[in-house]
Amino acid sequence: LSCPHALNEPLKKASAILRSFAWDAYMAEFVGTFFLVLTIGLNVVQGNDLAPLSIGAILMVMIFAMGSVSGGHFNPAVTLAVWLSRRQKITLRDAGIYWVVQLLAGLVAGLTYSGVLGASFALEPIDDKRGTIMSACLVEILYTCALCLVILNVATTNQDTPNHYFGLAIGSTVGSAAIAIGGVSGCSLNPAVSFGVTITHVLTMESEGRHWDYIGLYLAAPLVGAALAAAIFYAVRPAEYGGKKDK
Amino acid sequence: LSCPHALNEPLKKASAILRSFAWDAYMAEFVGTFFLVLTIGLNVVQGNDLAPLSIGAILMVMIFAMGSVSGGHFNPAVTLAVWLSRRQKITLRDAGIYWVVQLLAGLVAGLTYSGVLGASFALEPIDDKRGTIMSACLVEILYTCALCLVILNVATTNQDTPNHYFGLAIGSTVGSAAIAIGGVSGCSLNPAVSFGVTITHVLTMESEGRHWDYIGLYLAAPLVGAALAAAIFYAVRPAEYGGKKDK
Amino acid sequence: LSCPHALNEPLKKASAILRSFAWDAYMAEFVGTFFLVLTIGLNVVQGNDLAPLSIGAILMVMIFAMGSVSGGHFNPAVTLAVWLSRRQKITLRDAGIYWVVQLLAGLVAGLTYSGVLGASFALEPIDDKRGTIMSACLVEILYTCALCLVILNVATTNQDTPNHYFGLAIGSTVGSAAIAIGGVSGCSLNPAVSFGVTITHVLTMESEGRHWDYIGLYLAAPLVGAALAAAIFYAVRPAEYGGKKDK
Amino acid sequence: LSCPHALNEPLKKASAILRSFAWDAYMAEFVGTFFLVLTIGLNVVQGNDLAPLSIGAILMVMIFAMGSVSGGHFNPAVTLAVWLSRRQKITLRDAGIYWVVQLLAGLVAGLTYSGVLGASFALEPIDDKRGTIMSACLVEILYTCALCLVILNVATTNQDTPNHYFGLAIGSTVGSAAIAIGGVSGCSLNPAVSFGVTITHVLTMESEGRHWDYIGLYLAAPLVGAALAAAIFYAVRPAEYGGKKDK
């Protein structure tokens, strides 16, 4: 295609900008987050006994498959933790794009499982007894911290990467948490899950408004956990920041 | 054995052709597919709670055992995805032979578990409510896509192979899917499973014809998922096609 | 210690013979087989739902721990398969000693779990309907074949070793089989298990003789499976026998 | 900060001593032990069916994450076994600090799950029938021995490290044991678990004193198992002690 001379320069510039985006990585984040949230929804709506294993496994395999393309975050809290841990692992621009793609994939997945099963579900503290909201908030923070800490340690250090267990470690953290705190908070640990699940529930169910009650908790708590993980990572891995080498 | 001169040349040629076949690989595909379908049948007919773990595990171990002999497909959809992804991973002739061997192994396994247990089962959407056939079809496509995508990424790329997790990732994808969609479609993801299970059921049960109803769905949906996986793979792994190197 | 000259030579010879034995390997086989059979017994007697996972996991970890000391057989059928596959992996003398040590460890483990729980159990086809003995025999042969085939492929080939998944693959084969055929034959796959479990049951229970009925089946079927595995291994891995290199 | 000359030397010395401590390792031991005991408590108090998988998985991922920082002990019995196995893997001073940090982390975790769920639990032999205390003691010794033996073999040998399965092997040992002996002793295998769980129960429940009854057993039995493991390790790995090389 030949262009008039006056348009040539802007087009070249636009093309250069477009090529500077990591389209393959965004695609990988979309696909991985989609299958993660789809698998969560199919299992939770059906009430499968082995749901935590199914969820942990799909995360593991998507990370093994896509890790070297996009880092295999599939979770805005993880993207935040990686960005907060500095060391040039991700630019602010890419982190922002990752967030948008992850939230979008969560929503598309939500509409998919809702369409397949004709039902959806809400994220909420399992029991409305006094203190339960606090409990749900605390376990979401703590286990998102554990998740991000595992990711920072097994997938981003000079000392331990490359290795052959990064996907197993990360997927198993979510599987373990889903068993341990599924009965406390429902176990999101991931704003893309919280967003996709909640919006889908509001859009598809005889919504009465209260489904929005806890979305703030399930969006914010994972991000607090991510920040906590970045701080602990800094303390336990001085070697990654030019400090003395671990033994 | 000495032959009359006139027969010598044709015999040499036939021998060369025979030696050009990868008999060890066909044997490996037969054995792996046989144990996969046998394990599926034994678990499903008995209704074991942990069936998805048993099935995912046998696939994993057969891939670890036979992967370097035949690639460890054990599934015509996988063979299709590998062939569609080009890059000279398998010839059209070998892909065709793999298909025949896989379907045959599925049937032999079906007759084996049916003989052992004196019972068989049909693959069908779990509930005949309106829309369920569509749902079954969709999840078969989506999870076969996930399976083939994982295989293409962990077992066939220059960037990530060789690695020590290929079998774990592939087997766990099927285990995860069996939990997530076992209650929707039954979770075949594999035309050799669909073929072996259905033919066995028709041959051994007081068949009333309707067992054939869904065989088209369970043969075709996995192949559609395989093609979708090949397309996504092309998008997320430009480096495998001579494009720019992933970061 | 100084000896009369006449005794010196025989003592040196005896000492050389003693040093020629792989005492560390025999000890490793004892410990691994002991924990395998102990874990089987504790789980089966208590009727744990997750028994197959516990059993597969203990086998996996013992193989990871002891594999480089003794090969991590813990099973006379495995020792037979390795010996039948030739390639100087084990001498006939060591294979014989392994058998004795494995059977002994199985018995000590049997007495241990029987002492801990005050109960034991028998290995027998789960249902006495016509044909069930045949079924039990067939699945014991087939899954011991799968087990030995996995071991030969992941732990003894030039092409695939060393690797980091050998224990995972082998342990998961037994875990998968325990789920698939636990309800058919009880799933021994291992003469040391059959021996330890049966002798313990006879010694500790109000034995009525019939507990011996099936010991032949559970001792012999695994050995048949082992021989079948060695034959298949020969066919799928010509490269290990100086044949043409697998692709 | 400038100091009077007279204080300069002591301050320098104090600073040198402080820097000689492995603060990052102590932090890693705290975090790993905290998440291990937290996950145990959340699962046991809720009575989750899949509790052993959740517990084994969290141990695995914390070891994968922190192993290269602190060794990933998270258990005074493991620290004892590593110290007893000599070979300069840990100094007596660091072993002592590890013990203190692990016990403290166990207690903080205990107070956390107790606060989240408003309940706690006691470690005790599952059944008070005659002999059960002996049974609980024996299985705690045996499976702590298995755990420490696996750790010594997969994480501390010259022959087998570095490898990519150390976390999987160690976590799976605890998961396997939790299934096998959860119904006998409750499965502690770890004085930090015993300490955190028991002190929390005494502090938070309508305590009647008897909760202290078994703390001696659950603190001491794991240490006996650790010593046994160090002795077996010495026997099966002569190569690690300058003996003849294993084959």
Side-chain angles (χ1 to χ4, degrees), chain C residues 66-121:
Chain C
M66 308 291 193
S68 61
V69 178
S70 72
H73 297 185
F74 314 145
N75 181 341
V78 172
T79 300
L80 176 66
V82 171
W83 182 77
L84 284 176
S85 78
R86 300 172 307 155
R87 303 168 299 146
Q88 277 75 53
K89 297 287 173 187
I90 193 166
T91 64
L92 185 56
R93 185 189 75 174
D94 272 346
I97 297 171
Y98 271 35
W99 274 40
V100 172
V101 169
Q102 292 159 351
L103 294 173
L104 185 65
L107 182 56
V108 174
L111 297 174
T112 305
Y113 70 67
S114 158
V116 165
L117 299 174
S120 66
F121 69 104

Side-chain angles (χ1 to χ4, degrees), chain A:
Chain A
L1 195 79
S2 140
C3 303
H5 189 265
L7 278 171
N8 229 352
E9 280 308 299
L11 273 177
K12 269 186 186 163
K13 211 167 157 185
S15 161
I17 290 171
L18 280 173
R19 273 183 286 110
S20 80
F21 286 99
W23 299 108
D24 52 348
Y26 311 147
M27 179 80 174
E29 285 294 310
F30 185 92
V31 170
T33 311
F34 171 82
F35 277 113
L36 173 61
V37 180
L38 178 65
T39 303
I40 291 172
L42 289 170
N43 278 290
V44 172
V45 171
Q46 294 181 88
N48 295 336
D49 288 341
L50 300 178
L53 306 189
S54 180
I55 294 165
I58 201 76
L59 177 57
M60 174 180 78
V61 305
M62 286 294 149
I63 288 170
F64 275 139
M66 308 291 193
S68 61
V69 178
S70 73
H73 296 185
F74 314 145
N75 181 341
V78 171
T79 300
L80 177 66
V82 170
W83 183 77
L84 283 176
S85 78
R86 302 172 307 157
R87 302 168 300 146
Q88 278 76 51
K89 296 288 173 187
I90 193 166
T91 65
L92 185 56
R93 186 188 74 173
D94 272 348
I97 297 172
Y98 271 35
W99 275 40
V100 172
V101 169
Q102 290 159 353
L103 294 173
L104 186 65
L107 182 56
V108 173
L111 297 174
T112 304
Y113 70 67
S114 158
V116 165
L117 298 176
S120 66
F121 71 103
L123 272 166
E124 51 193 358
I126 298 309
D127 191 346
D128 269 303
K129 286 184 307 191
R130 183 180 123 284
T132 305
I133 293 172
M134 199 73 143
S135 293
C137 193
L138 183 59
V139 297
E140 286 288 320
I141 291 172
L142 286 173
Y143 281 89
T144 309
C145 172
L147 173 61
C148 293
L149 196 54
V150 168
I151 292 170
L152 291 174
N153 277 288
V154 304
T156 78
T157 65
N158 293 323
Q159 199 178 0
D160 289 342
T161 56
N163 62 59
H164 293 275
Y165 51 73
F166 61 101
L168 174 64
I170 299 167
S172 298
T173 309
V174 168
S176 174
I179 299 169
I181 64 168
V184 179
S185 70
C187 193
S188 168
L189 314 184
N190 183 339
V193 171
S194 306
F195 180 81
V197 163
T198 305
I199 302 294
T200 297
H201 199 53
V202 169
L203 290 178
T204 61
M205 301 305 287
E206 60 296 349
S207 167
E208 305 159 28
R210 67 178 288 275
H211 304 309
W212 291 100
D213 286 4
Y214 301 107
I215 191 165
L217 185 164
Y218 289 102
L219 287 176
L223 299 177
V224 175
L228 184 57
I232 295 174
F233 180 72
Y234 187 82
V236 298
R237 291 280 191 173
E240 300 295 317
Y241 295 93
K244 77 167 172 28
K245 193 73 185 61
D246 296 340
K247 68 187 155 190

Side-chain angles (χ1 to χ4, degrees), chain D residues 96-180:
Chain D
I97 297 172
Y98 271 34
W99 274 42
V100 172
V101 168
Q102 291 158 353
L103 294 173
L104 185 65
L107 182 56
V108 173
L111 297 174
T112 304
Y113 70 68
S114 158
V116 164
L117 298 174
S120 66
F121 70 103
L123 272 166
E124 50 192 0
I126 299 307
D127 191 346
D128 270 304
K129 285 183 307 192
R130 184 180 123 281
T132 305
I133 293 172
M134 199 73 142
S135 293
C137 193
L138 182 60
V139 295
E140 287 287 321
I141 291 172
L142 285 173
Y143 280 89
T144 309
C145 172
L147 173 62
C148 293
L149 195 54
V150 168
I151 291 171
L152 291 173
N153 277 288
V154 303
T156 76
T157 66
N158 293 323
Q159 199 178 1
D160 289 343
T161 56
N163 62 58
H164 294 275
Y165 51 74
F166 61 100
L168 174 64
I170 299 167
S172 299
T173 308
V174 168
S176 174
I179 299 169

Side-chain angles (χ1 to χ4, degrees), chain B residues 163-194:
Chain B
N163 62 58
H164 293 277
Y165 51 73
F166 61 100
L168 174 63
I170 299 167
S172 298
T173 308
V174 167
S176 175
I179 299 169
I181 65 169
V184 180
S185 70
C187 193
S188 169
L189 314 184
N190 184 338
V193 171
S194 306

